[in-house]
Amino acid sequence: MEYLWVIPFSPLVAFIIISLFGYKLLKEPLSGIVAVIGVAISAIFSVYGFYQVAITGDYYNLKLFTWMPLGDYEIAVSILWDPLSALMTCVVTVVSTFIFIFATGYMKGDPSYPRFFAYLSLFVFMMLMLTLADNLIQLFFGWEGVGLASYLLIGFWHYKKSASVAALEAFIVNRVGDWLFLLGVLLAFITFGTLDYLEIFEKLPEVGFWTITAIALLLFGGAVGKSAQIPLHIWLPNAMEGPTPVSALIHAATMVAAGVYMVARIMPVFASSEVALDTVLYIGTMSAFIAATMGLVQNDIKRIIAYSTLSQLGYMFAAEGLGLFKDGMFHLASHAVFKALLFLAAGSVLVAIHHILDIQKMGQLRKYMPITAATFLVGALALAGIPPFSGFFSKDPIIEGAYEINWVVWVLLWGGAGLTAFYIFRLYFLAFENGDRLDPHIKSHVHESPPNMTIPLIVLATGAVVLGFFREFFMNFLRPSLDPSQMKFLPEETKLLVEEGLSRAHHVHIIEDAWHFLIHSLTSPLGLLILFTAIGGIFLAFLMYQVRVIDPAWVANTFRPIYLLFYNRWYFDHIYYAIFAYGYYKLSKFMWKAGDKFVIDGVVNGSGKVSMTFGDFLRLSQTGRISAYLAQMAVGILIFLSLFLFLS
């Protein structure tokens, strides 16, 4: 397995080559070709490594080189290759390859074409360093690296104020989560004396419950920021200011998936604390439901898909909080495929209609862009959870698992599934079917995208159709990494601790075979309820936005308080602006007036005025006349003698 080092460093080499020679020797399209080759090499080696670990079910811990000494502990750049990291690495590299290919068409003609592909390659390298890490420091390096790369890519069109503001917002909000994450890393090092995952897992039984809880919650604070969960979610919808391939990369295969992967990667730590698992569960559940309500009333095509990402990440965290880690990771892989498909199809639309984002200004695009429309429809059906598309096999089992463990969580996840089906088909009907609201000048130029954009759509659409049928394979594949009884790198004491922590999921029976799960969903009351909820959401969208039997304006006016709550995104942005932006400005202004002008300037200027007044008084004695000086001396001598005689 020595070849594994190629996986992370191939995109890094592409980044270096493009950075050094992009503008002089590797202009468009060569920069894009170099980037595609770099990530494709990673994908090929990742798939081969996936195949190897699928055969053996073993894990490999490769130390590449020592990075830095930390007392008696040496931090190494390493690769931990097991089923979990193999799956995540394949998701990152394979999906990124098709996003890169699509981007060669999407970014055609952009003057900063080489810079864009340099940033993309850097992004993938950092994500792979995070994914393949065997210790928290290397993970933190990649964690911060994807934050930097996302800042550069979200603000890629920096001459647009909205883009630069969105990049800054993403960077600042993530710093809040990263600060918590770093505290968790430091507490872990103080507690365990090491940052290597395997050594931490070995020492878990020796550590107190509340210490483990504190470490898990601090690390999860970083995941809340990186994966845009409530309350640190506000940056993700605004990150749509970057080019659409960036949105696809962030939402599908890289940055926002990092938090979900991190929780699964150090699952024994979270499983050792019921409090930590409950926190993951409830944060994920609230995010899944609230984000779905936000997506109902948005008109920006990319933001609607962004809210679906926020919501689906909530389902993944909810699965992990329920103890269904394998289901959460399978949904991550499934979601990566159909979410990349949705974003790239949206990007194909934007190129065709000159980057108009408002779906109310679209309509009947299926006539002009049949491939884009068909592939977007596949992605929408997968997101809605309609069989036989992959989202059905990855999301519905999580909802069924919640039903057996936590009734409140089940209600919110079930309701979120119906809302998801509604808003994604609201987008589809308004953009691709109902009406013809396109500007006549734009409509005359609308046509299907070129092959380097449509072929990735077709491949990803195929994946969204067939991936779900491999559910049982993936469940079995992930067992050596996420099933305590089969985790070879866990000592027996830790296995018992983890199994006890995951006891809530022991009695849950979720069918793993895809065909049996499909039959179960079509015959059991619970399965039919979940399925018909999604179909009902689609049908309601059809009635409101295709045949117009129900007037959307009437619904908005009738339920105006709820509509405004959802449209204003539950007022999170308003609250944060009032507290952290406007509130901070008012506090700064008060401190300037009260502290700076009154206290600091008062002391400095006051001391100067006192000195000037005292100087003016002393100046009265400096007349330049000898007689006056003799008189002053005489008076002084008399005063001195008087005091001397009085005191003696």
Side-chain angles (χ1 to χ4, degrees):
M1 304 295 283
E2 291 76 12
Y3 62 84
L4 291 174
W5 67 269
V6 176
I7 296 173
F9 289 105
S10 180
L12 177 63
V13 171
F15 164 72
I16 294 171
I17 292 173
I18 297 170
S19 299
L20 293 176
F21 308 110
Y23 282 96
K24 292 186 177 181
L25 300 176
L26 299 175
K27 297 180 180 179
E28 183 182 339
L30 292 179
S31 294
I33 293 173
V34 170
V36 169
I37 291 173
V39 73
I41 291 173
S42 290
I44 292 168
F45 279 91
S46 298
V47 171
Y48 182 69
F50 182 95
Y51 169 74
Q52 291 290 99
V53 81
I55 294 175
T56 63
D58 210 342
Y59 73 95
Y60 304 89
N61 195 4
L62 307 178
K63 303 288 184 182
L64 299 182
F65 56 87
T66 299
W67 185 6
M68 64 180 81
L70 194 61
D72 295 331
Y73 173 65
E74 285 190 347
I75 300 173
V77 173
S78 307
I79 293 177
L80 178 58
W81 190 258
D82 69 335
L84 179 60
S85 60
L87 173 64
M88 190 67 190
T89 302
C90 283
V91 169
V92 172
T93 55
V94 174
V95 174
S96 295
T97 298
F98 292 107
I99 293 173
F100 277 46
I101 294 171
F102 180 92
T104 59
Y106 186 91
M107 297 301 292
K108 183 179 180 180
D110 192 288
S112 297
Y113 187 94
R115 177 166 62 91
F116 178 78
F117 281 98
Y119 289 168
L120 281 189
S121 300
L122 177 65
F123 202 167
V124 173
F125 163 70
M126 290 297 183
M127 186 63 192
L128 291 172
M129 290 296 288
L130 181 159
T131 301
L132 297 171
D134 77 335
N135 62 82
L136 288 171
I137 283 292
Q138 184 179 327
L139 184 144
F140 186 67
F141 168 77
W143 192 270
E144 292 299 293
V146 294
L148 170 63
S150 68
Y151 169 77
L152 296 172
L153 286 165
I154 294 169
F156 178 76
W157 288 320
H158 52 81
Y159 47 83
K160 293 169 54 181
K161 184 178 180 181
S162 58
S164 58
V165 169
L168 190 61
E169 180 184 34
F171 196 79
I172 292 173
V173 172
N174 271 276
R175 295 290 70 72
V176 177
D178 293 353
W179 172 68
L180 295 173
F181 189 88
L182 182 58
L183 289 178
V185 172
L186 294 174
L187 182 58
F189 183 71
I190 292 170
T191 303
F192 298 104
T194 180
L195 294 173
D196 290 359
Y197 302 149
L198 305 186
E199 294 179 11
I200 289 174
F201 299 160
E202 185 178 346
K203 296 179 180 180
L204 274 175
E206 305 169 10
V207 180
F209 172 81
W210 290 110
T211 302
I212 294 176
T213 300
I215 293 171
L217 291 179
L218 287 170
L219 294 175
F220 181 63
V224 169
K226 197 66 69 182
S227 294
Q229 296 294 280
I230 289 173
L232 299 179
H233 65 286
I234 59 171
W235 68 270
L236 189 60
N238 296 332
M240 299 302 97
E241 292 292 338
T244 304
V246 173
S247 304
L249 198 62
I250 291 175
H251 287 248
T254 55
M255 185 169 172
V256 296
V260 178
Y261 173 75
M262 182 274 294
V263 173
R265 179 73 280 173
I266 58 171
M267 178 268 287
V269 176
F270 283 87
S272 301
S273 169
E274 187 178 357
V275 173
L277 281 180
D278 284 340
T279 303
V280 174
L281 173 62
Y282 292 119
I283 291 290
T285 301
M286 286 191 299
S287 299
F289 181 77
I290 292 175
T293 64
M294 294 176 182
L296 291 174
V297 294
Q298 303 300 317
N299 290 319
D300 184 312
I301 185 172
K302 290 173 66 176
R303 277 181 167 80
I304 295 172
I305 304 174
Y307 280 115
S308 77
T309 299
L310 205 161
S311 181
Q312 296 308 302
L313 289 165
Y315 280 91
M316 298 171 207
F317 279 118
E320 294 178 329
L322 292 167
L324 306 173
F325 282 87
K326 297 190 300 294
D327 291 278
M329 285 304 300
F330 180 56
H331 189 46
L332 184 152
S334 168
H335 172 264
V337 175
F338 65 72
K339 184 51 56 68
L341 172 62
L342 288 171
F343 265 115
L344 296 186
S348 178
V349 168
L350 296 180
V351 169
I353 63 173
H354 299 186
H355 296 275
I356 296 173
L357 295 166
D358 191 347
I359 58 175
Q360 300 290 350
K361 297 179 180 178
M362 301 179 192
Q364 293 190 356
L365 286 172
R366 181 171 58 85
K367 292 196 310 184
Y368 311 102
M369 309 180 71
I371 297 176
T372 298
T375 53
F376 188 96
L377 179 60
V378 170
L381 289 166
L383 176 60
I386 304 299
F389 301 95
S390 63
F392 167 77
F393 295 104
S394 62
K395 184 174 67 175
D396 282 27
I398 296 173
I399 302 174
E400 288 207 16
Y403 179 81
E404 298 187 40
I405 297 175
N406 189 309
W407 189 81
V408 175
V409 169
W410 175 77
V411 169
L412 292 175
L413 296 182
W414 168 59
L419 298 177
T420 299
F422 174 82
Y423 68 68
I424 196 62
F425 273 87
R426 170 180 177 264
L427 189 164
Y428 175 77
F429 289 130
L430 285 175
F432 293 98
E433 299 290 348
N434 177 266
D436 192 354
R437 299 174 299 279
L438 280 174
D439 180 273
H441 175 69
I442 293 176
K443 184 169 64 174
S444 64
H445 295 87
V446 174
H447 57 83
E448 188 58 89
S449 297
N452 58 343
M453 296 174 68
T454 54
I455 290 175
L457 295 180
I458 295 170
V459 174
L460 291 170
T462 304
V465 173
V466 304
L467 186 62
F469 292 101
F470 292 90
R471 171 177 166 77
E472 185 177 20
F473 166 78
F474 281 106
M475 293 294 105
N476 292 326
F477 178 78
L478 288 170
R479 276 196 167 82
S481 293
L482 296 175
D483 187 338
S485 63
Q486 297 190 31
M487 295 171 71
K488 297 178 181 179
F489 49 77
L490 284 187
E492 288 302 320
E493 281 189 89
T494 307
K495 285 183 180 180
L496 294 174
L497 181 66
V498 173
E499 287 179 345
E500 182 181 353
L502 298 179
S503 59
R504 66 174 69 183
H506 286 173
H507 69 281
V508 178
H509 177 66
I510 302 176
I511 299 171
E512 294 186 350
D513 178 73
W515 290 106
H516 286 92
F517 182 77
L518 176 59
I519 295 170
H520 161 78
S521 297
L522 296 175
T523 55
S524 71
L526 180 59
L528 286 172
L529 176 61
I530 298 170
L531 179 58
F532 278 108
T533 299
I535 295 173
I538 296 172
F539 185 63
L540 182 59
F542 176 79
L543 294 178
M544 291 180 66
Y545 298 101
Q546 180 63 22
V547 297
R548 298 280 180 171
V549 173
I550 303 173
D551 183 10
W554 175 84
V555 175
N557 290 327
T558 303
F559 302 98
R560 189 154 189 80
I562 298 176
Y563 172 82
L564 290 175
L565 176 67
F566 295 167
Y567 183 78
N568 289 291
R569 296 169 285 190
W570 290 63
Y571 296 98
F572 276 102
D573 295 77
H574 297 76
I575 294 170
Y576 288 169
Y577 176 80
I579 296 174
F580 299 112
Y582 183 74
Y584 182 74
Y585 166 75
K586 296 297 288 185
L587 177 64
S588 300
K589 192 172 182 180
F590 170 77
M591 294 300 295
W592 168 62
K593 288 184 176 180
D596 192 36
K597 292 189 70 174
F598 182 74
V599 177
I600 298 174
D601 288 355
V603 171
V604 174
N605 296 338
S607 62
K609 289 180 180 179
V610 169
S611 299
M612 290 178 64
T613 302
F614 186 65
D616 289 342
F617 174 76
L618 291 178
R619 191 167 56 197
L620 296 175
S621 65
Q622 304 301 313
T623 62
R625 294 182 300 195
I626 296 178
S627 58
Y629 296 155
L630 291 173
Q632 292 171 18
M633 292 174 62
V635 170
I637 291 171
L638 289 173
I639 293 172
F640 174 76
L641 291 174
S642 299
L643 289 173
F644 178 76
L645 292 173
F646 176 77
L647 293 175
S648 61

